[in-house]
């Protein structure tokens, strides 16, 4: 092949690979299947190997360099890398805003802010010379950092060369390198499988990955970069607003945070903060606050800096999700299915916005893994609505009298023997419904809002009813008399009447709720609903063979086994009989197989203008379809609205029918679904 033809093919392959990378990592819109990408990459490597004179260091094939380094070189940041002042509450934000406006000559108009999540990662600087990545360095102390170019080159969301041509001759980009949560979980899962040490959190994992002398190791770590500003700029101009600079960076192929917004005034900053605080745990990465920056760069210049932080920016921190405290004791709780859970009693500590004095230790394997003892100083994590966890032990603070944690040899509540199944990490009380702890848990679950919804039957009352021997199982709730209730401590006439009325009301329920309320192991709401739809009534469900149960979507061998065990247990079925005798009733369902979309799997994606996606899902389910979250070969049809992204791409690739909202609405109307 003449070398000009090879050069042309290499150019075209590089351009395609760069484009796909940009679409995938910067715009978050995958365009080609992995196989296609891999083919192009293999071809590029093949051509570059046979024509080494055509190799360039900004080629997409050149992400992992050759030999490992023997040490990190130090670099100097010509424009210092600043840190940010912190704000911890609305008052701090008000003060920040007042200082700003005072400095800006008491101007009356509200100031515009560029807002973005503050990623919990490692700050880095990238220098592009004539559009080619020349150097990547850590922040270090802000003036001197370490050269980590070899490692940063392996990160797919960092372009080796900039796109377009309008970028400055020298452009220093600053941002945060972090590990997304999913990648972190996978990395740790693999480490545990291999018996290696796992990382404490995504930030440590990102730091450890960048501290490698051998870039081959870094290349295997799921790192991403998100850019938040610029440093040194020469031979070119940037726009006069921070947000416009970010837009430029994105056009040049750098990733910026998709949550970035411009707002006006401090109240809008509070709104932005609250919105993200509420969504914090649903983001794919860890954040520890929100960064607010004066958007106008000429105002930024006017405001300047104090020591090491700009006056024009502030980071409002979220409440910390991890704190240190002491493990005072461990108690063992018995759950609905007899599972015995070790619960850590902690010295109260303020973490994740609340005071925490208990945390779960999960099971004996987890205690082993943590190597925790009573008296230890531990790190407790509380994220969102998840129950607090003990994540690690501060090893060098172990007191001399720290005690090992002994797992009980019999049920701490009823004294029955305990058992650990080979396949499980869980130790269970074998007392079944003889065990008062299991009775209480079963009743609490039965009464809960999403089950029978018995208002006023809270944990305390369940405790009293079981302790007093008034109720042993859920059916006996319906035999309670007012006289019995009035005999309980702190129970007045009014509360007793209310509870009896709530019990009365709960008798009229639905089949899915009833199935869920029974608390059969592994049968959650979704499974209960699937079972109810599939069998239509209780008799068919209870009579179903294991094979028939396995025919229900979402029911696997384990769930089928738990279901059969329940139906084969005379004591369980006696409770059901008693419940029905007490008047618990529901309307049978139209069996799913008879519904028009039975057996089909649908996916809804993009923005639906008239229906909204939740409604669309509900309509589909009402017609018997299963609604899935992702497109696969099993998908029957995709409903796609404007803004549909990768799911639509996948559907096209797999040649799965796609309809728009209008077509979907007429399909619903055709099946008699009224909107
Ligand atoms: O996401 C971050 N951790 C982050 C750090 C975002 C920013 O906009 C920053 C920063 C550190 C310094 N901005 C500055 C000036």
């Amino acid at each position: 092949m003449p070398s000009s033809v090879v050069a042309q093919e290499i150019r075209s392959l590089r351009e395609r690979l760069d484009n796909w990378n940009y679409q995938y990592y910067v715009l978050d819109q995958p365009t080609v299947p992995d196989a296609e990408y891999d083919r192009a990459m293999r071809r590029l490597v093949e051509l570059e190997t046979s024509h080494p004179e055509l190799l360039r260091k900004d080629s997409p094939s050149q992400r992992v360099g050759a030999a490992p380094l023997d040490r990190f070189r130090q670099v100097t940041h010509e424009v210092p890398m600043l840190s940010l002042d912190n704000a911890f509450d609305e008052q701090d934000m008000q003060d920040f805003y007042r200082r700003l406006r005072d400095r800006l000559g008491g101007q009356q108009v509200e100031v515009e802010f560029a807002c973005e999540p503050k990623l919990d990662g490692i700050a880095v600087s990238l220098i592009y010379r004539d559009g080619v990545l020349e150097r990547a360095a850590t922040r270090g102390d802000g003036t001197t950092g370490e050269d980590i170019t070899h490692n940063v080159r392996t990160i797919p969301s960092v372009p080796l060369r900039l796109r377009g041509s309008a970028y400055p001759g020298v452009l220093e980009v600053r941002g945060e390198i972090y590990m997304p949560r999913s990648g972190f979980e996978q990395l740790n899962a693999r480490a545990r499988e291999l018996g290696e040490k796992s990382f404490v959190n995504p930030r440590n994992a990102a730091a450890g990955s960048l501290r490698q002398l051998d870039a081959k190791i870094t290349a295997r770590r799921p790192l991403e970069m998100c850019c938040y500003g610029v440093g040194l700029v020469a031979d070119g101009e940037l726009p006069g607003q921070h947000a416009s600079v970010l837009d430029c960076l994105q056009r040049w192929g750098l990733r910026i945070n998709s949550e970035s917004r411009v707002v006006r005034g401090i109240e809008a900053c509070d709104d932005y903060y609250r919105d993200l605080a509420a969504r914090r745990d649903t983001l794919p990465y860890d954040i520890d606050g929100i960064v607010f920056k004066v958007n106008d760069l000429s105002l930024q210049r006017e405001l300047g800096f104090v020591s090491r932080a700009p006056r024009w920016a502030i980071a409002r921190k979220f409440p910390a999700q991890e704190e240190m405290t002491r493990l005072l004791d461990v108690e063992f709780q018995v759950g609905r299915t007899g599972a015995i859970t070790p619960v850590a009693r902690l010295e109260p500590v303020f973490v994740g916005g609340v005071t925490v004095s208990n945390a779960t230790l999960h099971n004996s394997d987890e205690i082993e893994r943590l190597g925790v003892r009573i008296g230890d100083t531990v790190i407790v994590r509380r994220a969102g609505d998840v129950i607090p966890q003990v994540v690690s032990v501060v090893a060098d603070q172990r007191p001399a009298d720290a005690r090992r944690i002994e797992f009980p040899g019999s049920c701490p509540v009823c004294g029955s023997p305990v058992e650990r199944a080979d396949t499980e990490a869980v130790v269970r009380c074998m007392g079944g419904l003889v065990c008062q702890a299991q009775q209480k848990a079963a009743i609490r679950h039965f009464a809960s809002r999403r089950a029978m919804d018995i208002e006023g039957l809270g944990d305390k009352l369940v405790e009293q009813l079981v302790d007093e021997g008034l109720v042993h199982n859920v059916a006996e709730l319906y035999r309670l008399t007012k006289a019995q209730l009035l005999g309980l401590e702190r129970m007045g006439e009014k509360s007793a009447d209310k509870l009896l009325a709530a019990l009365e009301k709960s008798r009229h329920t639905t089949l899915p709720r009833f199935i869920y309320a029974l608390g059969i192991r592994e049968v959650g709401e979704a499974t209960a609903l699937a079972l109810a739809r599939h069998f239509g009534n209780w008799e068919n469900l209870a009579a179903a063979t294991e094979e028939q149960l396995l025919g229900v979507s979402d029911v696997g061998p384990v769930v089928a086994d738990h279901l059969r065990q329940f139906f084969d247990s005379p004591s369980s079925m006696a409770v059901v009989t008693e419940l029905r005798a007490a008047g618990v009733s529901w309307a049978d369902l139209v069996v799913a197989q008879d519904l028009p979309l039975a057996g089909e799997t649908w996916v809804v994606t993009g923005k639906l203008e008239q229906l909204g996606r939740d409604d669309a899902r509900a309509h589909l389910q009402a017609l018997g379809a299963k609604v899935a979250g992702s497109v696969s070969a099993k998908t029957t049809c995709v409903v796609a609205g404007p803004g549909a992204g990768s799911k639509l791409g996948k559907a096209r690739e797999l040649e799965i029918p796609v309809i728009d909202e209008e077509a979907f609405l007429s399909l619903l109307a055709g099946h008699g679904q009224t909107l």
Side-chain angles (χ1 to χ4, degrees), residues 56-267:
R56 295 169 46 131
K57 88 169 199 229
D58 62 352
S59 168
S61 65
Q62 298 303 297
R63 286 199 172 264
V64 184
L69 308 181
D70 53 7
R71 60 178 190 93
F72 292 105
R73 209 169 49 85
Q74 290 212 325
V75 303
T76 304
H77 300 297
E78 259 185 72
V79 179
M81 289 185 77
L82 303 168
S83 51
L84 293 167
D85 257 349
N86 291 324
F88 294 96
D89 52 30
E90 265 175 44
Q91 186 58 51
D92 289 349
M93 290 297 290
Q94 298 281 354
D95 294 347
F96 164 71
Y97 198 48
R98 191 167 27 74
R99 286 196 302 273
L100 270 187
R101 292 177 87 171
D102 286 351
R103 289 221 159 242
L104 295 174
Q107 68 165 300
Q108 291 308 298
V109 289
E110 301 264 26
V111 180
E112 238 180 39
F113 292 96
C115 330
E116 67 184 2
K118 183 165 183 292
L119 294 168
D120 207 0
I122 310 297
V124 297
S125 136
L126 310 176
I127 293 185
Y128 288 91
R129 190 176 297 275
D130 297 323
V132 178
L133 177 64
E134 179 178 80
R135 191 198 79 183
T138 59
R139 174 173 180 278
D141 62 7
T143 310
T144 310
E146 283 181 328
D147 190 326
I148 52 166
T149 314
H150 65 301
N151 287 336
V152 173
R153 287 177 64 88
T154 68
I155 301 173
S157 48
V158 175
L160 297 178
R161 69 167 301 124
L162 299 179
R163 301 170 64 81
S165 57
Y167 44 76
V170 178
L171 177 66
E172 181 186 8
V173 182
R174 280 153 183 199
E176 201 84 357
I177 290 179
Y178 63 95
M179 193 176 285
R181 287 189 193 137
S182 60
F184 167 75
E185 299 296 344
Q186 280 167 27
L187 182 69
N188 264 358
R190 221 178 315 135
R192 282 195 209 107
E193 262 170 41
L194 299 172
E196 292 169 3
K197 242 191 97 183
S198 51
F199 290 102
V200 177
N201 56 39
R203 183 177 191 282
N204 286 14
S209 303
L210 288 177
R211 223 180 290 115
Q212 298 294 327
L213 290 165
D214 186 353
K216 287 202 187 67
I217 299 177
T218 313
R220 290 196 293 265
R221 302 283 170 81
L223 297 173
E224 288 183 12
M225 172 144 183
C226 192
C227 302
Y228 55 68
V230 297
L232 189 65
V233 178
D235 302 334
E237 295 253 336
L238 291 177
Q241 311 273 309
H242 180 77
S244 317
V245 172
L246 294 183
D247 289 342
C248 280
L249 294 182
Q250 177 165 31
R251 276 201 300 282
W252 294 332
L254 295 148
R255 222 158 135 252
I256 61 169
N257 198 300
S258 60
E259 301 287 347
S260 300
R261 300 282 181 275
V262 174
V263 307
R264 189 181 283 281
I266 206 71
E267 265 153 43

